[in-house]
């Protein structure tokens, strides 16, 4: 077999392959054997039909077609490996010449990963938010905890802001009661904004046994997005009572003996959260700066596939679970379809570029992923997906997504290398020293967010 490579552009090549006919022998034998098992000829036992009889009855062309289809993937893969190409997606194969007992010639056009030069990135500088926790932040956190330990007691008066009402609901669209538009015994805190728009004004001033009707756009269910006439009946009004902010509350709501200890712990927790956010912010901004430094051509077909993948995931998974279609989503977001398409394209391009650049860094820095790092990333991904680690791991294995997770961790480590070399300052002008733990914990997640869907779109395949 002989092969040659022609570069069509920085992300696409054409392979020209010439195969001597004798190299098709194994595939021809397999073709005769396969046809033997599929057909019957009077006078011959199944599977024992001579090749000359198959040629006479079914045509040599059918045998050649079967043999070529069997052989092409092997010869294509050999040509790719011989040229040391890093191919993306499926090739477009064209058989240019097939002469029986002489030769098989074909071409294969395929996208490849572009050659990328990683420049000196040590001069990258970014600014991030300072880690500052005010007394007001601590008071707010403690107040939220206090709200969780509030008690309620029924009262015989009209409902007011902050009261907890027990209500029955009935929703009608165009005069018809919806099958999923009836609910009873619903507990609702007035002013929380957790149910329908307009419900607060409707129930305020009502006593137990009172009812009101209002119009609201439904947020979910079979009539999501439609205007509905909603009847609400109050069956109970209960006043919320907050516990006193004292040492007794600290002992009730935490493992601490005093309110001062509880507040100190709240401050520490808030500082840890802001430090994590700061580390994430640093990763994201360093990545942005890195991508600005590198020229990365993007294969057109890969980009088109990635855009389609992102749209499909949004429409069929995220929006589908919320009972929304794309048109309603765009209306809620205040975007036109053109703006949405442009935004999706921009995100897809960034994701592909991120993957290409960080993969090049992984190779350049010779970074590897150990089992502990992979397990840690899997645990964090499981947590964000709402699945248990065992469920998530099973889904990953069954879906053949282990290489995807390994790639995310490896790229995260590459990004951490760049962050370590960069200068990170906070809004107060202070240099931020991100420890290794912060970097490794956040980098893989930042990469996963940026390249969402790209591993599937850019999966390397070498089959024709």
């Amino acid at each position: 077999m002989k092969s040659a490579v022609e570069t069509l552009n920085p992300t696409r090549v054409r392979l020209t392959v010439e195969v001597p006919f004798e190299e098709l022998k194994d595939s021809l034998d397999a073709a005769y054997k396969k046809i033997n098992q599929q057909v019957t000829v009077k006078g011959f036992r199944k599977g024992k039909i001579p090749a000359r009889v198959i040629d006479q009855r079914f045509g040599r062309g059918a045998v050649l077609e079967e043999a070529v289809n069997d052989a092409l993937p092997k010869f294509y893969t050999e040509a790719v490996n011989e040229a040391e190409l890093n191919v993306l997606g499926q090739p477009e194969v064209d058989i240019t010449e097939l002469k029986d007992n002489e030769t098989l010639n074909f071409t294969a056009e395929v996208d490849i990963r572009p050659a990328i030069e990683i420049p000196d990135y040590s001069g990258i500088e970014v600014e991030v938010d300072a880690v500052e926790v005010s007394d007001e932040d601590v008071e707010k956190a403690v107040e939220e905890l206090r709200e969780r330990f509030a008690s309620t007691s029924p009262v015989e008066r009209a409902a007011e802001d902050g009261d907890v009402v027990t209500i029955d609901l009935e929703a009608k669209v165009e005069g018809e009661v919806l099958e999923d538009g009836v609910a009873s015994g619903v507990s609702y805190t007035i002013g929380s904004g957790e149910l329908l728009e307009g419900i607060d004004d409707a129930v305020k001033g009502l006593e137990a046994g009172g009812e009101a009707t209002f119009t609201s756009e439904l947020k979910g269910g079979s009539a999501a997005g439609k205007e509905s006439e909603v009847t609400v009946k109050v069956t109970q009004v209960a006043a919320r009572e907050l516990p006193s902010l004292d040492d007794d509350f600290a002992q009730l709501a935490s493992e601490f003996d005093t309110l001062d200890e509880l507040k100190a712990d709240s401050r520490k927790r808030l500082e840890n959260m802001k430090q994590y956010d700061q580390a994430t912010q640093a990763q994201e901004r360093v990545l942005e700066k890195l991508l600005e430094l590198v020229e990365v051509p993007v294969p057109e077909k890969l980009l088109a596939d990635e855009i389609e993948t992102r749209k499909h995931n949004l429409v069929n998974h995220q929006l589908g679970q919320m009972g929304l279609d794309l048109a309603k989503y765009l209306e809620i977001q205040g975007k036109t379809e053109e703006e949405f398409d442009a935004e999706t394209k921009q995100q897809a391009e960034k994701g592909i570029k991120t993957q290409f650049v960080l993969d090049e860094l992984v190779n350049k820095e010779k970074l590897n992923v150990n089992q502990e790092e992979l397990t840690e990333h899997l645990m964090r991904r499981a947590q964000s997906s709402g699945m248990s680690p065992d469920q998530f791991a099973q889904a990953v294995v069954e879906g053949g997504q282990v290489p995807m997770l390994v790639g995310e961790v490896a790229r995260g480590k590459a990004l951490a290398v760049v962050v370590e070399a960069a200068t990170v300052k906070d809004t107060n002008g202070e240099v931020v020293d991100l420890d290794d733990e912060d970097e490794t914990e956040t980098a893989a997640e930042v990469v996963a967010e940026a390249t969402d869907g790209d591993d599937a779109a850019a999966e390397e395949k070498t089959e024709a």
Side-chain angles (χ1 to χ4, degrees):
M1 185 197 81
K2 293 193 301 182
S3 64
V5 180
E6 176 188 358
T7 300
L8 303 178
N9 61 50
T11 63
R12 194 165 179 84
V13 298
R14 179 188 293 122
L15 285 163
T16 300
V17 184
E18 298 179 10
V19 182
F21 205 82
E22 57 266 23
E23 292 188 31
L24 282 173
K25 184 179 183 307
D26 289 344
S27 293
L28 280 169
D29 291 344
Y32 279 116
K33 185 175 181 180
K34 182 176 180 180
I35 293 173
N36 240 307
Q37 299 300 321
Q38 294 174 338
V39 302
T40 57
V41 175
K42 190 175 180 179
F44 297 95
R45 286 183 294 163
K46 196 175 185 67
K48 299 295 183 180
I49 308 169
R52 60 180 176 76
V53 175
I54 290 177
D55 289 346
Q56 291 169 356
R57 290 293 185 93
F58 306 103
R60 174 72 166 175
V63 179
L64 287 175
E65 181 180 357
E66 181 66 39
V68 169
N69 288 338
D70 175 73
L72 273 178
K74 181 185 73 170
F75 293 126
Y76 166 72
T77 300
E78 287 180 7
V80 166
N81 292 338
E82 185 178 285
E84 298 182 343
L85 297 176
N86 204 337
V87 299
L88 300 168
Q90 298 289 349
E92 295 179 5
V93 177
D94 181 27
I95 297 174
T96 55
E97 186 176 23
L98 175 59
K99 290 184 178 180
D100 196 0
N101 290 314
E102 291 187 30
T103 187
L104 163 65
N105 298 336
F106 69 90
T107 63
E109 287 191 18
V110 66
D111 286 333
I112 60 170
R113 283 178 179 259
I116 298 174
E117 285 292 329
I118 304 295
D120 179 16
Y121 47 78
S122 60
I124 290 177
E125 294 185 10
V126 297
E127 184 180 73
V128 295
D129 295 336
V131 174
E132 296 174 338
V133 178
S134 66
D135 291 342
E136 289 75 15
D137 293 332
V138 175
E139 295 299 331
K140 182 181 177 182
V142 172
E143 190 61 30
E144 288 174 355
L145 182 61
R146 187 183 179 206
E147 290 279 349
R148 286 165 47 192
F149 283 85
S151 59
T152 59
S153 56
V155 292
E156 294 183 3
R157 59 166 173 77
E160 302 172 355
D161 266 328
D163 285 344
V164 178
V165 289
T166 304
I167 54 178
D168 298 335
L169 295 165
E170 181 183 83
K172 293 180 180 179
V173 173
E174 298 177 353
E176 295 292 328
V177 178
L178 300 171
E179 285 188 18
D180 55 355
V182 178
S184 59
V186 177
S187 181
Y188 175 68
T189 301
I190 300 175
S192 66
E194 293 175 352
L195 278 178
L196 299 168
E197 186 176 346
I199 194 171
D200 289 336
D201 291 335
V203 297
K204 275 193 292 189
L206 295 181
E207 297 184 19
E211 67 177 56
T213 300
F214 64 101
T215 302
S216 182
E217 183 179 298
L218 298 177
K219 295 182 180 179
S222 61
K226 293 185 178 180
E227 287 291 319
S228 172
E229 183 182 85
V230 182
T231 299
V232 56
K233 181 178 180 180
V234 176
T235 59
Q236 179 181 275
V237 178
R240 298 178 75 248
E241 297 177 4
L242 296 174
S244 299
L245 276 178
D246 52 24
D247 292 347
D248 288 339
F249 168 68
Q251 294 166 23
L252 170 69
S254 70
E255 70 272 28
F256 302 106
D257 294 326
T258 67
L259 184 61
D260 287 343
E261 289 175 331
L262 173 60
K263 287 183 176 181
D265 181 70
S266 296
R267 184 180 294 276
K268 183 62 178 176
R269 288 175 184 270
L270 290 172
E271 287 175 351
N272 289 340
M273 288 172 58
K274 292 200 173 189
Q275 284 172 350
Y276 180 85
D277 291 342
Q278 186 187 66
T280 301
Q281 197 176 64
Q283 301 277 1
E284 292 171 345
R285 293 182 179 179
V286 168
L287 177 59
E288 292 281 354
K289 291 281 189 178
L290 176 64
L291 294 181
E292 290 173 8
L293 292 176
V294 188
E295 187 67 31
V296 185
V298 176
E300 291 183 11
K301 187 176 184 306
L302 179 64
L303 178 59
D305 289 346
E306 172 59 14
I307 291 171
E308 184 58 34
T309 297
R310 288 177 180 249
K311 281 186 176 180
H312 176 83
N313 289 341
L314 174 66
V315 173
N316 294 281
H317 299 298
Q318 300 173 41
L319 298 185
Q321 292 176 356
M322 295 186 288
L324 298 175
D325 58 16
L326 183 58
K328 189 61 185 177
Y329 168 76
L330 294 178
E331 181 184 332
I332 294 171
Q333 294 290 315
K335 297 177 184 176
T336 65
E337 190 167 349
E338 290 74 20
E339 289 172 335
F340 169 76
D341 287 343
E343 186 178 283
T344 304
K345 180 181 179 182
Q346 184 181 36
Q347 292 170 346
E349 283 182 330
K350 178 185 175 182
I352 293 170
K353 288 180 179 180
T354 296
Q355 182 174 330
F356 285 173
V357 170
L358 294 182
D359 282 349
E360 184 64 28
L361 265 170
V362 168
N363 293 331
K364 181 179 179 180
E365 301 293 341
K366 296 180 173 56
L367 302 175
N368 296 309
V369 176
N370 60 43
Q371 186 61 48
E372 183 180 350
E373 292 166 335
L374 180 60
T375 301
E376 172 68 19
H377 185 56
L378 186 147
M379 298 277 283
R380 297 176 75 86
R381 289 277 266 162
Q383 186 177 17
S384 64
S385 71
M387 301 169 68
S388 72
D390 287 345
Q391 289 174 324
F392 187 79
Q394 183 178 352
V396 165
V397 172
E398 291 178 352
Q401 299 298 302
V402 173
M404 181 191 75
L405 288 187
V406 172
E408 288 176 356
V409 178
R411 293 174 198 126
K413 293 180 75 171
L415 178 55
V417 168
V418 182
V419 173
E420 187 175 350
T423 300
V424 181
K425 293 183 178 180
D426 66 20
T427 49
N428 294 327
E430 299 292 328
V431 174
V432 177
D433 183 18
L434 299 172
D435 61 36
D436 291 341
E437 185 176 353
D438 284 335
E439 290 186 39
T440 54
E441 282 182 355
T442 58
E445 293 176 26
V446 169
V447 171
E449 180 71 22
T451 61
D452 183 26
D454 299 326
D455 280 286
E459 183 180 357
E460 296 176 21
K461 300 175 183 177
T462 55
E463 294 185 5

